[in-house]
Amino acid sequence: MDGRRPWREDALWVTVGCLAAYFLTLALRLSLWTVWDHELLRVGDEILLSTHDSYLWLALSKTVTFSDPEHMAWLTKAIHNVLGIPLGDIGFWGPAFFASLVAPVCFLWGWLAGGRTGGIVAGLVGAMGLGFYQRSKLGYYDTDLFTLLMPLAVGFLLAWWAGGHIRRTWLPSDAEPMRPRMSPWSALAIGLFIRMACWWHQDLAMLNAMLVVIAGGLIVVLGIPDRRPRALFEWAAILLAALPGMGLSNLYLTIRRVFGYDAYADSIIAIALAVVLVALVARGVHENQYVRALCKWWWAALFAAVLLLGVTNTLMSPSQMLISKILVYLVDTPTGDPGSAAAEATRFPNTISSIVEAGRIDWNTAFAKMSTATWLTIASFACALIVVAFRPETVLLLPMLVIGIMSVTLGSRFAMFGTGAVAVFFGLAVNTVGNALLPEGRLRERLQVVLQAAVGLAILIPAYLEYKAMPPTPVLTRPHAEALLGLRDRISEDATIWTWWDWGYATWYFTGVRPPIDGGRHAGADVFPMAYALSTDSPQKANQMLFYATSQKYEPFKDMPATERRPWLSPLAIQIPPSVSMPHSISWCAGKTSGSPNGYRTSATGTSKRGRPVNTRFAVQSPRTSVTTFSTA
């Protein structure tokens, strides 16, 4: 892992390497569209998408406003308005373009820690791990495109920044800095980038906060004494500029109460304080003798860092949020009133119990999803210990590796977080072996390029062939989508459509009416009315339940005392024999219809995910109390 050189000497090489990694990954991902080239996978001019969340961002992009914190929808709307690309095409092709950005970031990580050839394997493999591919393939237009990319990019920027202030190794005898220091204003730029990186998912704010804290720990433990004072000032600026709503929360609240500012003023205040800190560094405040005396020793620097974290609440807030998030996945908590007897009587399943990808997986599956092969993940774990021992900055990759390991209990979707770290650690190990085996000189660098590319392609090609053999996974069938499109023109805007939450967003996108339950509203109490309608063998009871829930604004249990829930729910209990085949989906609509007096009727046939013929029937009728169903049995 030697041979690292300053950026100016490697700028052209790194630029070419990043572009090559991106466009190769993009070409491979786009080439997999052929499995979708079938008439049953199209509705109109659009290809059906792979996840229900894709339809959320497409639907939201039609109505999103400046005040809505829906950045994925804003991005979709900008692409649609500026480039004129249809929304359906953005949802289908977009994942290939965004997911491929992981490849150059992995390349940069390898270059940072291992030199010119250290990022070749990582750049080839990093964006093609099984777990990440499954959640970023064509049609999978969701925030997963950024929940891996952003922490990797944030960790890289923090590692690059910290390298100008810390020594090369963990040993105190090696006081040589990793690389020259950057301008203090770069700390402000990094902080603002991290703030942007938190936009795409609420959990990214927690993970990015942890990365900032780890970077501060590197400054405290490994900081060169003469550079530590400036580093701590810059770190504080990054802290303030990066983390919205987590630092100085009490100060912000007081200012808002006194001056009547809106909530967005928190960000303005934090960024302004960060600018002041960077300006002080630029004027040399860190050269003050008292500041240098405080930060000279690591224990004094640790005290200053902990004091800053305590005052800003930056450490406790994300830690508590992260622990609470993990407990949601680990503990099956009833949604009844905590501590009450009725909480046990009304044990609605929590949200996680209805999410397939949150199911626990075994170790072999977790390892397979964290890279392109199980053996590669296992080898990377061994490599990680060696790499971190010699390259302290790579400790910023460990949180993502740990999250990937925790997928055995948190669910399969978390395995993808380890994809980038696994590729970087393995690539650095291969690069080190190559440096040790090949003779020194210009020839070694050329042979290293060939060797690293060969290893990367040997890993990548089998994975690509495996992905090419995977069948398409549309979230709904063509008859289902056509029925929704037909419904769009025949109901009023105030209509209510009940469907199982997996198809809520798609229903919203195709009809323009948001159902009561969808991917953002599927807690136990939310889905109970629809679950009951799916379970009962009485159309009348199904109709009455859904009509009652609609009359209660989709929250039939909100104003019901906990002590009354059990008597109300007990008569509704249903025993379903194991031999009974449940319908694949059922929808119910209350609203005015247009067209013939008998309403709109259509039928079509298709094929279910299991390959069995299905018959889809759809009917919307007046008056408002009528049951409207379409089902694929």
Side-chain angles (χ1 to χ4, degrees), residues 161-167 181 219 222-224 227 230-231 234:
W161 165 79
H165 304 283
I166 64 177
R167 56 181 182 263
R181 288 184 294 188
I219 297 298
L222 301 179
I224 299 172
R227 298 192 176 193
R230 171 179 164 177
E234 291 183 5

Side-chain angles (χ1 to χ4, degrees), residues 148 335 474:
L148 175 62
T335 59

Side-chain angles (χ1 to χ4, degrees), residues 332-348 561-563 565:
D332 185 12
T333 306
T335 59
D337 300 335
S340 68
E344 293 297 322
T346 57
R347 287 182 60 89
F348 297 116
T563 55
R565 291 179 188 169

Side-chain angles (χ1 to χ4, degrees), residues 34-55:
T34 54
V35 299
W36 292 84
D37 189 16
H38 194 282
E39 61 178 7
L40 287 179
L41 299 176
R42 291 180 176 271
V43 54
D45 296 330
E46 298 182 9
I47 301 177
L48 296 173
L49 304 183
S50 299
T51 178
H52 66 105
D53 285 324
S54 300
Y55 289 110

Side-chain angles (χ1 to χ4, degrees), residues 265-609:
D266 296 355
S267 298
I268 297 176
I269 296 170
I271 295 172
L273 291 174
V275 171
V276 171
L277 281 177
V278 173
L280 290 174
V281 172
R283 294 180 63 88
V285 68
H286 57 284
E287 299 292 342
N288 182 279
Q289 59 177 338
Y290 298 107
V291 174
R292 295 182 63 84
L294 175 63
C295 301
K296 181 178 180 180
W297 306 103
W298 71 267
W299 56 267
L302 178 63
F303 172 78
V306 172
L307 180 63
L308 178 62
L309 290 172
V311 170
T312 61
N313 195 33
T314 303
L315 181 60
M316 292 303 297
S317 178
S319 299
Q320 292 171 352
M321 293 170 63
L322 184 61
I323 293 173
S324 299
K325 184 75 173 183
I326 292 175
L327 289 178
V328 169
Y329 282 86
L330 294 180
V331 181
D332 185 12
T333 306
T335 59
D337 300 335
S340 68
E344 293 297 322
T346 57
R347 287 182 60 89
F348 297 116
N350 64 16
T351 301
I352 303 303
S353 65
S354 61
I355 301 177
V356 175
E357 60 264 27
R360 299 182 181 184
I361 57 178
D362 56 39
W363 286 102
N364 186 61
T365 304
F367 289 159
K369 287 179 175 290
M370 289 176 66
S371 64
T372 58
T374 302
W375 68 266
L376 180 60
T377 303
I378 297 174
S380 296
F381 288 161
C383 297
L385 299 176
I386 301 173
V387 172
V388 172
F390 286 92
R391 290 290 177 259
E393 70 269 32
T394 57
V395 73
L396 288 162
L397 288 170
L398 292 183
M400 284 160 278
L401 200 62
V402 171
I403 294 175
I405 295 172
M406 292 180 67
S407 63
V408 296
T409 55
L410 298 182
S412 61
R413 68 180 303 176
F414 290 90
M416 75 170 198
F417 281 92
T419 301
V422 165
V424 172
F425 284 131
F426 183 79
L428 289 173
V430 173
N431 184 64
T432 302
V433 172
N435 286 336
L437 296 179
L438 298 175
E440 294 186 7
R442 297 184 63 181
L443 181 61
R444 182 172 76 173
E445 186 170 284
R446 296 177 182 177
L447 292 176
Q448 269 283 58
V449 173
V450 176
L451 174 63
Q452 302 304 312
V455 173
L457 291 175
I459 297 172
L460 181 61
I461 292 175
Y464 173 77
L465 295 177
E466 178 185 353
Y467 302 158
K468 192 175 182 64
M470 291 182 178
T473 55
V475 72
L476 73 168
T477 62
R478 176 179 175 175
H480 191 161
E482 289 176 338
L484 293 173
L485 283 172
L487 178 62
R488 178 179 60 187
D489 300 327
R490 300 173 183 273
I491 59 174
S492 60
E493 295 181 355
D494 62 345
T496 298
I497 303 176
W498 280 91
T499 187
W500 191 243
W501 71 266
D502 290 273
W503 295 281
Y505 291 147
T507 300
W508 184 12
Y509 173 69
F510 285 114
T511 67
V513 176
R514 186 169 188 175
I517 57 175
D518 51 36
R521 296 179 293 192
H522 55 175
D526 296 328
V527 303
F528 178 84
M530 193 66 224
Y532 179 81
L534 285 167
S535 304
T536 182
D537 58 357
S538 169
Q540 181 183 11
K541 291 181 178 179
N543 179 41
Q544 291 173 340
M545 170 59 74
L546 297 180
F547 183 76
Y548 174 73
T550 303
S551 68
Q552 298 299 311
K553 298 181 179 179
Y554 322 128
E555 296 180 332
F557 310 108
K558 181 178 180 181
D559 298 324
M560 184 181 296
T563 55
E564 297 181 10
R565 291 179 188 169
R566 181 168 186 173
W568 195 89
L569 291 170
S570 294
L572 303 180
I574 301 173
Q575 299 295 328
I576 304 175
S579 59
V580 173
S581 175
M582 295 302 298
H584 185 60
S585 67
I586 181 170
S587 296
W588 180 91
C589 174
K592 298 177 181 179
T593 62
S594 60
S596 63
N598 293 329
Y600 172 63
R601 301 174 183 272
T602 183
S603 63
T605 60
T607 304
S608 69
K609 293 182 179 180

